[in-house]
């Protein structure tokens, strides 16, 4: 069995797809995709030696390992153009995910779908998609072991966000996630409650400070908290 998080990511990979999992660590997602008969083939990419060795060992335990390839390298550099239909990148910051996509943009030719799970900085990923002709087609948020995870799925498309101009601006939807906002699942409300609590703690600390910059920061944070209160 694998985590609910990885299982949900797998669920967004179409049946029969050739899938690359970049930053695969122990190649658990890649193994699951093969064992469940979801992916027709998998490529597990890893930058670092330790996780790369772990991925090799994991794939070696599989009967159907001839349909898997474990490669060491930075981001999408391990791929040849046209080699996969789906690219998954999970468990990293949004900034790193966006920079991996940006650096390997020529390798995305022929890729039909991105399944991304940023740990933080989801907004950066949504913005990257919008600016590079990837249209968000689905999003979900889930909680596992007390941690909230967002999964963003994109296919090639036009530069619009769904539900734009409805009741939230583009900037707001990039922050919250248009599908997440539309669905308003309980974990989403929890995420923004946590966000508010985090800022309120910062406000308490700033109130003890007599630095002149503190007052300005307090103003910014108060307006952020007000905005969050309009979300939850
Ligand atoms: N994707 C797995 C998951 O979601 O459970 C593993 C997440 S783990 C926290 C992040 C992995 O990405 C690490 O194993 C790290 O070595 C790898 N990594 C970081 N930067 C990378 C890059 N530029 N290219 C490939 N792998 C990278």
């Amino acid at each position: 069995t694998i985590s609910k998080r990885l299982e949900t990511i797998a669920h967004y990979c179409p049946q029969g797809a050739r899938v690359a999992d970049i930053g695969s660590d122990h190649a658990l997602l890649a193994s699951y995709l093969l064992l469940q008969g979801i992916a027709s083939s998998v490529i597990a990419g890893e930058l670092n030696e330790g996780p790369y060795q772990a991925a090799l060992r994991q794939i070696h335990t599989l009967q159907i390992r001839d349909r898997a390839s474990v490669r060491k390298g930075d981001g999408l550099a391990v791929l040849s153009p046209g080699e996969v239909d789906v690219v998954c990148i999970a468990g990293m910051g949004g900034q790193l995910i966006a920079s991996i996509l940006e650096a390997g943009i020529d390798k995305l030719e022929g890729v039909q779908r991105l399944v991304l799970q940023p740990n933080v900085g989801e907004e950066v990923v949504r913005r990257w998609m919008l600016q590079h002709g990837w249209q968000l087609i689905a999003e979900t948020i889930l909680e596992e072991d007390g941690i909230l995870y967002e999964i963003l799925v994109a296919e090639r498309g036009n530069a619009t966000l769904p539900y734009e101009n409805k009741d939230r601006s583009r900037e707001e939807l990039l922050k919250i996630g248009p599908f997440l906002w539309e669905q308003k699942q309980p974990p989403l409300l929890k995420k923004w409650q946590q966000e508010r609590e985090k800022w309120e703690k910062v406000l308490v600390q700033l109130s003890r400070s007599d630095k002149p910059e503190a007052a300005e920061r307090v103003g910014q944070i108060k307006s952020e908290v007000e905005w969050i209160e309009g979300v939850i």
Side-chain angles (χ1 to χ4, degrees), residues 5-6 9 21-25 45-48 51 73-75 89-92 96 100 117 119:
R5 175 181 65 90
L6 291 177
I9 293 169
D21 180 29
I22 301 301
S24 72
D25 195 4
E46 247 302 329
L47 177 63
N48 294 303
D74 190 352
I89 311 180
M92 302 177 202
L96 179 56
I100 286 174
Q117 185 264 302
N119 287 337

Side-chain angles (χ1 to χ4, degrees), residues 17 28-42 59 62 64-69:
L28 292 180
L29 176 63
S31 304
Y32 182 81
L33 286 167
L34 278 186
L35 289 171
Q36 295 294 312
I38 298 170
S40 60
S41 65
V42 294
I59 293 297
L62 304 181
I64 40 181
R65 57 180 171 264
D66 55 320
R67 284 195 262 147
S69 165

